[in-house]
Amino acid sequence: MSEGASFDVIVIGAGVVGLSTAFSLAEVGKRVLIFDRKGMALEASFGNAGALAFSDILPLASPRIMRQALKWLVDPLGPLSVPPLYFPRIAPWLLRFWRASWRDRYEASILAQVALMELARDESEALIGRAGLSHAIRSDGVLHLYENEAQRAAAQPGWLVRERHGIAFEPVAGARLAELQPGLSQQFVAGCFVPGWKTVSDPHEVAVGIGKAALERGAMLRIVEVAGVERAGVRARVVLSDGETLEASHVVIAAGAWSHHISRQLGDVIPLETERGYNTTLPPGAFDIRRQLVFDAHGFVVTPLSTGLRIGGAVELGGLKAGPNFRRSSIMLEKTKHFLPGLKTEGGLQWMGFRPSLPDSLPVIGPSTRSPRILYAFGHGHLGLTQSAATARLVRDLVLGQPAAIDLAPFRADRFRTWM
Ligand SMILES: Cc1cc2nc3c(=O)[nH]c(=O)nc-3n(C[C@H](O)[C@H](O)[C@H](O)COP(=O)(O)OP(=O)(O)OC[C@H]3O[C@@H](n4cnc5c(N)ncnc54)[C@H](O)[C@@H]3O)c2cc1C
């Protein structure tokens, strides 16, 4: 970095959200500096399931999930778990999650999610294309799978909500099911195919590709830990862990599951928690998967990637410090062996990642309460890849002083202050 270089925008975090934001700002001529303590896309953006899940408009906290969660929690290795030692820490978040499941908040979250997803659908392919990565998008949809009528019926209200919001899908069974995914276990009797859902060839490759495109347009990346952010008159100041400080016209906090450590210093106490997720990536050729498969009742998905077959999901509300429990990855792999007879399970790589999650399943996008020059872009939970380009667009609107493409009120940093 040249002596005395000055920057318009500093982006903290080189995950897919920070890199997309840096790219969008560099594209319009802003001088951008990215800080990350590890490098490009080495946390949640590294190993996710690669879905551009535009139809995923239902918040996790729903009247139905509260009943299902109680059943899931009985099994410590089930799709949802809370390690007992972490329970006291996460109890306030769980209380807000429960409040988010009430009908009024649930409906409000859906409307906000629909608006963000419509923007995501418009912006994602466009941004990935401008970064020279169109070849990395797969447009073969997703197939949700059900083992019996009870599972299908349980999912039905969600499909009706999607229908109301104009999302196309096709209920399938019999020969059509077998055509969409040959070789499935006979235990699957029904499915729902969503043609407008897309996946990427590999989420790490795509995030790094966007990051490189940002660097090609003049952005700079520095590997360093950020200790804090503060207001500096009409500008904003970043304090690095070695004490060095840098100022810019705007600072964007896109530090994923760690963002609240920084926002807290600005007086914004945001209930960000991590939903830890697990997977196994098998070598290419493990099974002939035609499109992403979702096993709704088991809380995990199978994704065909250029780098292999990724099997994973699950939610562990266990915080940022405890080590991974890879039995979770193994259990999803064992189940998949039954679901896809003939699956070659050898040679898999296990991974755990920290989803940055808020109780209402919506991210925080917009200014800090301390300064309009300090912007937040974090908390995308299960949908950070899907919503990264939309978030980048919104942050760019704010930096340029233009009206935001959608109403940002549901994504405000202080929205939880009035809860309960
Ligand atoms: C198992 C699993 C499957 C998923 N599947 C999907 C999917 O199919 N589709 C989808 O849309 N989403 C999916 N997600 C969610 C998605 O991965 C995340 O929402 C997304 O990656 C978050 O991106 P981010 O840039 O906000 O955070 P991250 O990728 O976590 O990046 C944050 C960055 O900030 C840096 N950082 C943090 N603190 C500091 C600091 N103080 N100083 C400097 N740097 C700092 C970190 O090093 C990191 O690089 C999945 C997640 C998991 C775990």
mmCIF file of all heavy atoms in Angstrom, residues 95-144:
data_model
loop_
_atom_site.group_PDB
_atom_site.id
_atom_site.type_symbol
_atom_site.label_atom_id
_atom_site.label_comp_id
_atom_site.label_asym_id
_atom_site.label_seq_id
_atom_site.Cartn_x
_atom_site.Cartn_y
_atom_site.Cartn_z
ATOM 1 N N LEU A 95 -35.191 -15.852 23.399
ATOM 2 C CA LEU A 95 -36.433 -15.141 23.761
ATOM 3 C C LEU A 95 -36.881 -14.229 22.610
ATOM 4 O O LEU A 95 -38.063 -14.184 22.255
ATOM 5 C CB LEU A 95 -36.160 -14.311 25.017
ATOM 6 C CG LEU A 95 -37.351 -14.027 25.920
ATOM 7 C CD1 LEU A 95 -37.959 -15.325 26.434
ATOM 8 C CD2 LEU A 95 -36.890 -13.167 27.113
ATOM 9 N N ARG A 96 -35.939 -13.541 22.022
ATOM 10 C CA ARG A 96 -36.266 -12.682 20.873
ATOM 11 C C ARG A 96 -36.692 -13.522 19.661
ATOM 12 O O ARG A 96 -37.560 -13.136 18.896
ATOM 13 C CB ARG A 96 -35.071 -11.808 20.502
ATOM 14 C CG ARG A 96 -34.815 -10.709 21.502
ATOM 15 C CD ARG A 96 -33.809 -9.732 20.913
ATOM 16 N NE ARG A 96 -33.801 -8.499 21.640
ATOM 17 C CZ ARG A 96 -32.882 -8.172 22.528
ATOM 18 N NH1 ARG A 96 -31.906 -9.016 22.808
ATOM 19 N NH2 ARG A 96 -32.934 -7.010 23.149
ATOM 20 N N PHE A 97 -36.033 -14.682 19.517
ATOM 21 C CA PHE A 97 -36.395 -15.594 18.426
ATOM 22 C C PHE A 97 -37.860 -16.029 18.598
ATOM 23 O O PHE A 97 -38.643 -16.042 17.637
ATOM 24 C CB PHE A 97 -35.457 -16.808 18.478
ATOM 25 C CG PHE A 97 -35.641 -17.799 17.361
ATOM 26 C CD1 PHE A 97 -35.076 -17.572 16.108
ATOM 27 C CD2 PHE A 97 -36.366 -18.961 17.552
ATOM 28 C CE1 PHE A 97 -35.240 -18.495 15.074
ATOM 29 C CE2 PHE A 97 -36.543 -19.886 16.519
ATOM 30 C CZ PHE A 97 -35.971 -19.641 15.289
ATOM 31 N N TRP A 98 -38.221 -16.350 19.824
ATOM 32 C CA TRP A 98 -39.610 -16.732 20.114
ATOM 33 C C TRP A 98 -40.564 -15.575 19.791
ATOM 34 O O TRP A 98 -41.589 -15.759 19.148
ATOM 35 C CB TRP A 98 -39.700 -17.148 21.590
ATOM 36 C CG TRP A 98 -41.094 -17.309 22.103
ATOM 37 C CD1 TRP A 98 -41.974 -18.291 21.774
ATOM 38 C CD2 TRP A 98 -41.762 -16.457 23.041
ATOM 39 N NE1 TRP A 98 -43.151 -18.115 22.442
ATOM 40 C CE2 TRP A 98 -43.052 -16.991 23.219
ATOM 41 C CE3 TRP A 98 -41.401 -15.301 23.733
ATOM 42 C CZ2 TRP A 98 -43.973 -16.395 24.068
ATOM 43 C CZ3 TRP A 98 -42.318 -14.719 24.580
ATOM 44 C CH2 TRP A 98 -43.585 -15.263 24.746
ATOM 45 N N ARG A 99 -40.176 -14.362 20.172
ATOM 46 C CA ARG A 99 -41.014 -13.195 19.876
ATOM 47 C C ARG A 99 -41.141 -12.989 18.356
ATOM 48 O O ARG A 99 -42.203 -12.629 17.851
ATOM 49 C CB ARG A 99 -40.416 -11.954 20.549
ATOM 50 C CG ARG A 99 -41.171 -10.665 20.280
ATOM 51 C CD ARG A 99 -42.572 -10.685 20.880
ATOM 52 N NE ARG A 99 -43.311 -9.452 20.556
ATOM 53 C CZ ARG A 99 -44.095 -9.306 19.479
ATOM 54 N NH1 ARG A 99 -44.246 -10.294 18.621
ATOM 55 N NH2 ARG A 99 -44.725 -8.168 19.267
ATOM 56 N N ALA A 100 -40.035 -13.294 17.645
ATOM 57 C CA ALA A 100 -40.067 -13.130 16.181
ATOM 58 C C ALA A 100 -41.023 -14.126 15.532
ATOM 59 O O ALA A 100 -41.450 -13.922 14.398
ATOM 60 C CB ALA A 100 -38.660 -13.309 15.606
ATOM 61 N N SER A 101 -41.365 -15.187 16.243
ATOM 62 C CA SER A 101 -42.253 -16.205 15.658
ATOM 63 C C SER A 101 -43.732 -15.826 15.800
ATOM 64 O O SER A 101 -44.592 -16.494 15.248
ATOM 65 C CB SER A 101 -42.005 -17.564 16.317
ATOM 66 O OG SER A 101 -42.604 -17.604 17.608
ATOM 67 N N TRP A 102 -44.052 -14.786 16.552
ATOM 68 C CA TRP A 102 -45.449 -14.355 16.682
ATOM 69 C C TRP A 102 -45.941 -13.867 15.319
ATOM 70 O O TRP A 102 -45.164 -13.334 14.523
ATOM 71 C CB TRP A 102 -45.595 -13.220 17.705
ATOM 72 C CG TRP A 102 -45.297 -13.624 19.120
ATOM 73 C CD1 TRP A 102 -44.638 -14.746 19.537
ATOM 74 C CD2 TRP A 102 -45.610 -12.880 20.297
ATOM 75 N NE1 TRP A 102 -44.526 -14.751 20.901
ATOM 76 C CE2 TRP A 102 -45.113 -13.617 21.398
ATOM 77 C CE3 TRP A 102 -46.247 -11.660 20.540
ATOM 78 C CZ2 TRP A 102 -45.246 -13.182 22.705
ATOM 79 C CZ3 TRP A 102 -46.381 -11.222 21.848
ATOM 80 C CH2 TRP A 102 -45.885 -11.983 22.922
ATOM 81 N N ARG A 103 -47.217 -14.023 15.115
ATOM 82 C CA ARG A 103 -47.799 -13.748 13.799
ATOM 83 C C ARG A 103 -47.423 -12.365 13.256
ATOM 84 O O ARG A 103 -47.026 -12.235 12.107
ATOM 85 C CB ARG A 103 -49.327 -13.922 13.909
ATOM 86 C CG ARG A 103 -50.103 -13.883 12.640
ATOM 87 C CD ARG A 103 -49.730 -14.932 11.610
ATOM 88 N NE ARG A 103 -49.887 -16.312 12.014
ATOM 89 C CZ ARG A 103 -49.527 -17.347 11.260
ATOM 90 N NH1 ARG A 103 -48.978 -17.159 10.066
ATOM 91 N NH2 ARG A 103 -49.681 -18.577 11.689
ATOM 92 N N ASP A 104 -47.498 -11.299 14.106
ATOM 93 C CA ASP A 104 -47.241 -9.947 13.588
ATOM 94 C C ASP A 104 -45.810 -9.802 13.069
ATOM 95 O O ASP A 104 -45.559 -9.332 11.964
ATOM 96 C CB ASP A 104 -47.556 -8.883 14.653
ATOM 97 C CG ASP A 104 -46.728 -9.049 15.928
ATOM 98 O OD1 ASP A 104 -46.282 -10.193 16.211
ATOM 99 O OD2 ASP A 104 -46.509 -8.047 16.644
ATOM 100 N N ARG A 105 -44.851 -10.263 13.895
ATOM 101 C CA ARG A 105 -43.439 -10.133 13.473
ATOM 102 C C ARG A 105 -43.130 -11.070 12.308
ATOM 103 O O ARG A 105 -42.358 -10.737 11.408
ATOM 104 C CB ARG A 105 -42.506 -10.493 14.635
ATOM 105 C CG ARG A 105 -42.675 -9.623 15.826
ATOM 106 C CD ARG A 105 -41.547 -8.604 15.917
ATOM 107 N NE ARG A 105 -41.684 -7.860 17.141
ATOM 108 C CZ ARG A 105 -41.672 -6.549 17.232
ATOM 109 N NH1 ARG A 105 -41.514 -5.807 16.163
ATOM 110 N NH2 ARG A 105 -41.794 -5.946 18.393
ATOM 111 N N TYR A 106 -43.701 -12.258 12.351
ATOM 112 C CA TYR A 106 -43.474 -13.242 11.299
ATOM 113 C C TYR A 106 -43.891 -12.658 9.941
ATOM 114 O O TYR A 106 -43.125 -12.678 8.979
ATOM 115 C CB TYR A 106 -44.275 -14.502 11.642
ATOM 116 C CG TYR A 106 -44.189 -15.624 10.642
ATOM 117 C CD1 TYR A 106 -42.990 -16.292 10.399
ATOM 118 C CD2 TYR A 106 -45.322 -16.049 9.943
ATOM 119 C CE1 TYR A 106 -42.912 -17.337 9.492
ATOM 120 C CE2 TYR A 106 -45.253 -17.088 9.029
ATOM 121 C CZ TYR A 106 -44.045 -17.722 8.810
ATOM 122 O OH TYR A 106 -43.974 -18.752 7.906
ATOM 123 N N GLU A 107 -45.112 -12.095 9.908
ATOM 124 C CA GLU A 107 -45.611 -11.515 8.649
ATOM 125 C C GLU A 107 -44.730 -10.344 8.211
ATOM 126 O O GLU A 107 -44.429 -10.189 7.026
ATOM 127 C CB GLU A 107 -47.063 -11.010 8.811
ATOM 128 C CG GLU A 107 -48.077 -12.060 9.254
ATOM 129 C CD GLU A 107 -48.442 -13.052 8.156
ATOM 130 O OE1 GLU A 107 -48.042 -12.800 7.008
ATOM 131 O OE2 GLU A 107 -49.099 -14.065 8.454
ATOM 132 N N ALA A 108 -44.317 -9.506 9.160
ATOM 133 C CA ALA A 108 -43.477 -8.340 8.817
ATOM 134 C C ALA A 108 -42.127 -8.804 8.263
ATOM 135 O O ALA A 108 -41.609 -8.232 7.286
ATOM 136 C CB ALA A 108 -43.282 -7.461 10.049
ATOM 137 N N SER A 109 -41.569 -9.854 8.865
ATOM 138 C CA SER A 109 -40.273 -10.362 8.380
ATOM 139 C C SER A 109 -40.412 -10.908 6.968
ATOM 140 O O SER A 109 -39.515 -10.732 6.133
ATOM 141 C CB SER A 109 -39.730 -11.463 9.287
ATOM 142 O OG SER A 109 -39.357 -10.932 10.519
ATOM 143 N N ILE A 110 -41.528 -11.583 6.683
ATOM 144 C CA ILE A 110 -41.716 -12.129 5.325
ATOM 145 C C ILE A 110 -41.736 -10.993 4.302
ATOM 146 O O ILE A 110 -41.054 -11.055 3.273
ATOM 147 C CB ILE A 110 -43.013 -12.969 5.238
ATOM 148 C CG1 ILE A 110 -42.845 -14.259 6.040
ATOM 149 C CG2 ILE A 110 -43.344 -13.303 3.775
ATOM 150 C CD1 ILE A 110 -44.095 -15.108 6.135
ATOM 151 N N LEU A 111 -42.471 -9.931 4.612
ATOM 152 C CA LEU A 111 -42.557 -8.817 3.639
ATOM 153 C C LEU A 111 -41.179 -8.205 3.388
ATOM 154 O O LEU A 111 -40.812 -7.909 2.240
ATOM 155 C CB LEU A 111 -43.518 -7.741 4.155
ATOM 156 C CG LEU A 111 -45.006 -8.127 4.147
ATOM 157 C CD1 LEU A 111 -45.863 -6.970 4.646
ATOM 158 C CD2 LEU A 111 -45.451 -8.551 2.742
ATOM 159 N N ALA A 112 -40.408 -8.040 4.460
ATOM 160 C CA ALA A 112 -39.062 -7.468 4.296
ATOM 161 C C ALA A 112 -38.176 -8.430 3.499
ATOM 162 O O ALA A 112 -37.417 -8.006 2.608
ATOM 163 C CB ALA A 112 -38.454 -7.192 5.665
ATOM 164 N N GLN A 113 -38.309 -9.710 3.808
ATOM 165 C CA GLN A 113 -37.476 -10.712 3.120
ATOM 166 C C GLN A 113 -37.828 -10.779 1.635
ATOM 167 O O GLN A 113 -36.943 -10.904 0.782
ATOM 168 C CB GLN A 113 -37.695 -12.074 3.803
ATOM 169 C CG GLN A 113 -36.614 -13.085 3.590
ATOM 170 C CD GLN A 113 -35.286 -12.724 4.227
ATOM 171 O OE1 GLN A 113 -34.545 -11.908 3.680
ATOM 172 N NE2 GLN A 113 -34.968 -13.310 5.356
ATOM 173 N N VAL A 114 -39.115 -10.661 1.316
ATOM 174 C CA VAL A 114 -39.541 -10.692 -0.097
ATOM 175 C C VAL A 114 -38.894 -9.517 -0.848
ATOM 176 O O VAL A 114 -38.349 -9.686 -1.945
ATOM 177 C CB VAL A 114 -41.084 -10.633 -0.208
ATOM 178 C CG1 VAL A 114 -41.522 -10.341 -1.637
ATOM 179 C CG2 VAL A 114 -41.701 -11.950 0.275
ATOM 180 N N ALA A 115 -38.935 -8.346 -0.241
ATOM 181 C CA ALA A 115 -38.354 -7.167 -0.912
ATOM 182 C C ALA A 115 -36.851 -7.368 -1.139
ATOM 183 O O ALA A 115 -36.331 -7.079 -2.233
ATOM 184 C CB ALA A 115 -38.607 -5.918 -0.068
ATOM 185 N N LEU A 116 -36.161 -7.883 -0.123
ATOM 186 C CA LEU A 116 -34.705 -8.081 -0.255
ATOM 187 C C LEU A 116 -34.407 -9.181 -1.282
ATOM 188 O O LEU A 116 -33.464 -9.073 -2.071
ATOM 189 C CB LEU A 116 -34.107 -8.417 1.119
ATOM 190 C CG LEU A 116 -32.588 -8.451 1.223
ATOM 191 C CD1 LEU A 116 -31.955 -7.146 0.749
ATOM 192 C CD2 LEU A 116 -32.148 -8.740 2.663
ATOM 193 N N MET A 117 -35.235 -10.226 -1.289
ATOM 194 C CA MET A 117 -35.011 -11.330 -2.240
ATOM 195 C C MET A 117 -35.270 -10.887 -3.679
ATOM 196 O O MET A 117 -34.580 -11.337 -4.594
ATOM 197 C CB MET A 117 -35.912 -12.514 -1.908
ATOM 198 C CG MET A 117 -35.419 -13.303 -0.732
ATOM 199 S SD MET A 117 -33.739 -13.930 -0.967
ATOM 200 C CE MET A 117 -33.721 -15.174 0.320
ATOM 201 N N GLU A 118 -36.278 -10.029 -3.863
ATOM 202 C CA GLU A 118 -36.528 -9.559 -5.240
ATOM 203 C C GLU A 118 -35.331 -8.750 -5.730
ATOM 204 O O GLU A 118 -34.885 -8.890 -6.866
ATOM 205 C CB GLU A 118 -37.822 -8.751 -5.305
ATOM 206 C CG GLU A 118 -39.018 -9.704 -5.296
ATOM 207 C CD GLU A 118 -40.376 -9.028 -5.180
ATOM 208 O OE1 GLU A 118 -40.428 -7.783 -5.108
ATOM 209 O OE2 GLU A 118 -41.385 -9.762 -5.166
ATOM 210 N N LEU A 119 -34.782 -7.942 -4.834
ATOM 211 C CA LEU A 119 -33.579 -7.186 -5.195
ATOM 212 C C LEU A 119 -32.408 -8.155 -5.444
ATOM 213 O O LEU A 119 -31.631 -7.983 -6.383
ATOM 214 C CB LEU A 119 -33.238 -6.192 -4.075
ATOM 215 C CG LEU A 119 -32.091 -5.231 -4.364
ATOM 216 C CD1 LEU A 119 -32.448 -4.273 -5.512
ATOM 217 C CD2 LEU A 119 -31.723 -4.419 -3.116
ATOM 218 N N ALA A 120 -32.324 -9.178 -4.589
ATOM 219 C CA ALA A 120 -31.232 -10.160 -4.738
ATOM 220 C C ALA A 120 -31.312 -10.852 -6.094
ATOM 221 O O ALA A 120 -30.296 -11.072 -6.755
ATOM 222 C CB ALA A 120 -31.293 -11.184 -3.607
ATOM 223 N N ARG A 121 -32.533 -11.187 -6.497
ATOM 224 C CA ARG A 121 -32.700 -11.865 -7.789
ATOM 225 C C ARG A 121 -32.214 -10.961 -8.926
ATOM 226 O O ARG A 121 -31.542 -11.391 -9.848
ATOM 227 C CB ARG A 121 -34.172 -12.208 -7.987
ATOM 228 C CG ARG A 121 -34.390 -13.525 -8.676
ATOM 229 C CD ARG A 121 -35.831 -13.937 -8.664
ATOM 230 N NE ARG A 121 -36.740 -12.803 -8.706
ATOM 231 C CZ ARG A 121 -37.965 -12.794 -8.162
ATOM 232 N NH1 ARG A 121 -38.391 -13.856 -7.522
ATOM 233 N NH2 ARG A 121 -38.750 -11.752 -8.249
ATOM 234 N N ASP A 122 -32.527 -9.669 -8.820
ATOM 235 C CA ASP A 122 -32.088 -8.736 -9.871
ATOM 236 C C ASP A 122 -30.575 -8.510 -9.838
ATOM 237 O O ASP A 122 -29.936 -8.388 -10.875
ATOM 238 C CB ASP A 122 -32.762 -7.365 -9.679
ATOM 239 C CG ASP A 122 -34.259 -7.443 -9.941
ATOM 240 O OD1 ASP A 122 -34.707 -8.440 -10.535
ATOM 241 O OD2 ASP A 122 -34.978 -6.508 -9.528
ATOM 242 N N GLU A 123 -30.028 -8.411 -8.630
ATOM 243 C CA GLU A 123 -28.631 -7.959 -8.510
ATOM 244 C C GLU A 123 -27.602 -9.091 -8.608
ATOM 245 O O GLU A 123 -26.483 -8.858 -9.061
ATOM 246 C CB GLU A 123 -28.424 -7.241 -7.161
ATOM 247 C CG GLU A 123 -29.219 -5.951 -7.020
ATOM 248 C CD GLU A 123 -28.698 -4.808 -7.888
ATOM 249 O OE1 GLU A 123 -27.494 -4.745 -8.154
ATOM 250 O OE2 GLU A 123 -29.531 -3.979 -8.323
ATOM 251 N N SER A 124 -27.967 -10.316 -8.167
ATOM 252 C CA SER A 124 -26.937 -11.363 -8.014
ATOM 253 C C SER A 124 -26.288 -11.743 -9.336
ATOM 254 O O SER A 124 -25.063 -11.672 -9.487
ATOM 255 C CB SER A 124 -27.529 -12.613 -7.370
ATOM 256 O OG SER A 124 -28.066 -12.272 -6.133
ATOM 257 N N GLU A 125 -27.145 -12.157 -10.284
ATOM 258 C CA GLU A 125 -26.561 -12.588 -11.558
ATOM 259 C C GLU A 125 -25.823 -11.441 -12.228
ATOM 260 O O GLU A 125 -24.788 -11.636 -12.860
ATOM 261 C CB GLU A 125 -27.659 -13.106 -12.474
ATOM 262 C CG GLU A 125 -27.706 -14.614 -12.471
ATOM 263 C CD GLU A 125 -28.714 -15.157 -13.448
ATOM 264 O OE1 GLU A 125 -29.917 -15.118 -13.117
ATOM 265 O OE2 GLU A 125 -28.295 -15.609 -14.516
ATOM 266 N N ALA A 126 -26.379 -10.218 -12.072
ATOM 267 C CA ALA A 126 -25.747 -9.054 -12.696
ATOM 268 C C ALA A 126 -24.355 -8.833 -12.099
ATOM 269 O O ALA A 126 -23.366 -8.665 -12.824
ATOM 270 C CB ALA A 126 -26.628 -7.824 -12.494
ATOM 271 N N LEU A 127 -24.259 -8.867 -10.766
ATOM 272 C CA LEU A 127 -22.951 -8.618 -10.130
ATOM 273 C C LEU A 127 -21.963 -9.740 -10.475
ATOM 274 O O LEU A 127 -20.814 -9.479 -10.854
ATOM 275 C CB LEU A 127 -23.112 -8.486 -8.612
ATOM 276 C CG LEU A 127 -21.850 -8.108 -7.838
ATOM 277 C CD1 LEU A 127 -22.186 -7.260 -6.614
ATOM 278 C CD2 LEU A 127 -21.016 -9.302 -7.408
ATOM 279 N N ILE A 128 -22.447 -10.979 -10.371
ATOM 280 C CA ILE A 128 -21.542 -12.114 -10.662
ATOM 281 C C ILE A 128 -21.067 -12.029 -12.118
ATOM 282 O O ILE A 128 -19.902 -12.291 -12.435
ATOM 283 C CB ILE A 128 -22.259 -13.450 -10.330
ATOM 284 C CG1 ILE A 128 -22.449 -13.560 -8.800
ATOM 285 C CG2 ILE A 128 -21.481 -14.650 -10.855
ATOM 286 C CD1 ILE A 128 -23.294 -14.730 -8.324
ATOM 287 N N GLY A 129 -21.980 -11.604 -12.996
ATOM 288 C CA GLY A 129 -21.610 -11.444 -14.409
ATOM 289 C C GLY A 129 -20.580 -10.339 -14.600
ATOM 290 O O GLY A 129 -19.582 -10.529 -15.302
ATOM 291 N N ARG A 130 -20.783 -9.196 -13.941
ATOM 292 C CA ARG A 130 -19.825 -8.079 -14.113
ATOM 293 C C ARG A 130 -18.454 -8.445 -13.560
ATOM 294 O O ARG A 130 -17.441 -7.912 -13.988
ATOM 295 C CB ARG A 130 -20.354 -6.814 -13.414
ATOM 296 C CG ARG A 130 -21.629 -6.245 -14.037
ATOM 297 C CD ARG A 130 -21.872 -4.803 -13.591
ATOM 298 N NE ARG A 130 -21.880 -4.614 -12.169
ATOM 299 C CZ ARG A 130 -22.905 -4.816 -11.351
ATOM 300 N NH1 ARG A 130 -24.058 -5.228 -11.825
ATOM 301 N NH2 ARG A 130 -22.803 -4.600 -10.053
ATOM 302 N N ALA A 131 -18.456 -9.378 -12.596
ATOM 303 C CA ALA A 131 -17.167 -9.829 -12.047
ATOM 304 C C ALA A 131 -16.535 -10.901 -12.940
ATOM 305 O O ALA A 131 -15.480 -11.449 -12.612
ATOM 306 C CB ALA A 131 -17.365 -10.365 -10.625
ATOM 307 N N GLY A 132 -17.196 -11.217 -14.055
ATOM 308 C CA GLY A 132 -16.629 -12.188 -15.013
ATOM 309 C C GLY A 132 -16.849 -13.631 -14.594
ATOM 310 O O GLY A 132 -16.086 -14.525 -14.981
ATOM 311 N N LEU A 133 -17.913 -13.884 -13.814
ATOM 312 C CA LEU A 133 -18.088 -15.230 -13.253
ATOM 313 C C LEU A 133 -19.416 -15.870 -13.657
ATOM 314 O O LEU A 133 -19.882 -16.799 -12.986
ATOM 315 C CB LEU A 133 -18.023 -15.146 -11.716
ATOM 316 C CG LEU A 133 -16.702 -14.633 -11.133
ATOM 317 C CD1 LEU A 133 -16.900 -14.183 -9.693
ATOM 318 C CD2 LEU A 133 -15.645 -15.731 -11.184
ATOM 319 N N SER A 134 -20.011 -15.406 -14.764
ATOM 320 C CA SER A 134 -21.323 -15.953 -15.166
ATOM 321 C C SER A 134 -21.280 -17.476 -15.284
ATOM 322 O O SER A 134 -22.270 -18.156 -14.998
ATOM 323 C CB SER A 134 -21.757 -15.372 -16.511
ATOM 324 O OG SER A 134 -21.955 -14.004 -16.356
ATOM 325 N N HIS A 135 -20.140 -17.998 -15.707
ATOM 326 C CA HIS A 135 -20.023 -19.453 -15.877
ATOM 327 C C HIS A 135 -20.210 -20.211 -14.552
ATOM 328 O O HIS A 135 -20.453 -21.405 -14.540
ATOM 329 C CB HIS A 135 -18.633 -19.787 -16.442
ATOM 330 C CG HIS A 135 -17.532 -19.321 -15.527
ATOM 331 N ND1 HIS A 135 -17.035 -18.032 -15.548
ATOM 332 C CD2 HIS A 135 -16.863 -19.954 -14.540
ATOM 333 C CE1 HIS A 135 -16.090 -17.906 -14.625
ATOM 334 N NE2 HIS A 135 -15.978 -19.053 -14.001
ATOM 335 N N ALA A 136 -20.105 -19.486 -13.425
ATOM 336 C CA ALA A 136 -20.169 -20.151 -12.114
ATOM 337 C C ALA A 136 -21.605 -20.324 -11.610
ATOM 338 O O ALA A 136 -21.824 -20.891 -10.548
ATOM 339 C CB ALA A 136 -19.353 -19.363 -11.093
ATOM 340 N N ILE A 137 -22.585 -19.837 -12.372
ATOM 341 C CA ILE A 137 -23.978 -19.956 -11.920
ATOM 342 C C ILE A 137 -24.640 -21.167 -12.573
ATOM 343 O O ILE A 137 -24.567 -21.346 -13.784
ATOM 344 C CB ILE A 137 -24.795 -18.689 -12.266
ATOM 345 C CG1 ILE A 137 -24.171 -17.482 -11.572
ATOM 346 C CG2 ILE A 137 -26.251 -18.838 -11.862
ATOM 347 C CD1 ILE A 137 -24.910 -16.186 -11.812
ATOM 348 N N ARG A 138 -25.277 -21.999 -11.751
ATOM 349 C CA ARG A 138 -26.077 -23.128 -12.264
ATOM 350 C C ARG A 138 -27.547 -22.755 -12.133
ATOM 351 O O ARG A 138 -27.976 -22.311 -11.070
ATOM 352 C CB ARG A 138 -25.840 -24.381 -11.415
ATOM 353 C CG ARG A 138 -24.494 -25.026 -11.615
ATOM 354 C CD ARG A 138 -24.394 -26.296 -10.788
ATOM 355 N NE ARG A 138 -25.379 -27.292 -11.205
ATOM 356 C CZ ARG A 138 -25.147 -28.605 -11.238
ATOM 357 N NH1 ARG A 138 -23.961 -29.068 -10.895
ATOM 358 N NH2 ARG A 138 -26.095 -29.447 -11.598
ATOM 359 N N SER A 139 -28.319 -22.994 -13.188
ATOM 360 C CA SER A 139 -29.729 -22.567 -13.182
ATOM 361 C C SER A 139 -30.660 -23.772 -13.235
ATOM 362 O O SER A 139 -31.653 -23.754 -13.950
ATOM 363 C CB SER A 139 -29.998 -21.630 -14.365
ATOM 364 O OG SER A 139 -29.172 -20.498 -14.266
ATOM 365 N N ASP A 140 -30.338 -24.827 -12.481
ATOM 366 C CA ASP A 140 -31.188 -26.025 -12.571
ATOM 367 C C ASP A 140 -32.136 -26.205 -11.397
ATOM 368 O O ASP A 140 -32.711 -27.276 -11.209
ATOM 369 C CB ASP A 140 -30.343 -27.283 -12.804
ATOM 370 C CG ASP A 140 -29.008 -27.231 -12.099
ATOM 371 O OD1 ASP A 140 -28.911 -26.497 -11.103
ATOM 372 O OD2 ASP A 140 -28.077 -27.910 -12.541
ATOM 373 N N GLY A 141 -32.320 -25.142 -10.600
ATOM 374 C CA GLY A 141 -33.355 -25.178 -9.569
ATOM 375 C C GLY A 141 -33.001 -26.050 -8.374
ATOM 376 O O GLY A 141 -31.856 -26.498 -8.222
ATOM 377 N N VAL A 142 -34.007 -26.246 -7.534
ATOM 378 C CA VAL A 142 -33.811 -27.042 -6.317
ATOM 379 C C VAL A 142 -35.004 -27.980 -6.168
ATOM 380 O O VAL A 142 -36.122 -27.657 -6.580
ATOM 381 C CB VAL A 142 -33.685 -26.120 -5.086
ATOM 382 C CG1 VAL A 142 -34.986 -25.407 -4.749
ATOM 383 C CG2 VAL A 142 -33.207 -26.883 -3.851
ATOM 384 N N LEU A 143 -34.752 -29.136 -5.572
ATOM 385 C CA LEU A 143 -35.823 -30.109 -5.331
ATOM 386 C C LEU A 143 -35.926 -30.365 -3.820
ATOM 387 O O LEU A 143 -34.988 -30.876 -3.205
ATOM 388 C CB LEU A 143 -35.483 -31.408 -6.072
ATOM 389 C CG LEU A 143 -36.493 -32.549 -5.985
ATOM 390 C CD1 LEU A 143 -37.853 -32.149 -6.581
ATOM 391 C CD2 LEU A 143 -35.954 -33.784 -6.721
ATOM 392 N N HIS A 144 -37.079 -29.964 -3.241
ATOM 393 C CA HIS A 144 -37.358 -30.264 -1.829
ATOM 394 C C HIS A 144 -37.992 -31.652 -1.780
ATOM 395 O O HIS A 144 -38.860 -31.957 -2.612
ATOM 396 C CB HIS A 144 -38.342 -29.250 -1.243
ATOM 397 C CG HIS A 144 -37.765 -27.870 -1.129
ATOM 398 N ND1 HIS A 144 -37.400 -27.315 0.088
ATOM 399 C CD2 HIS A 144 -37.497 -26.929 -2.066
ATOM 400 C CE1 HIS A 144 -36.935 -26.089 -0.128
ATOM 401 N NE2 HIS A 144 -36.977 -25.836 -1.419
#
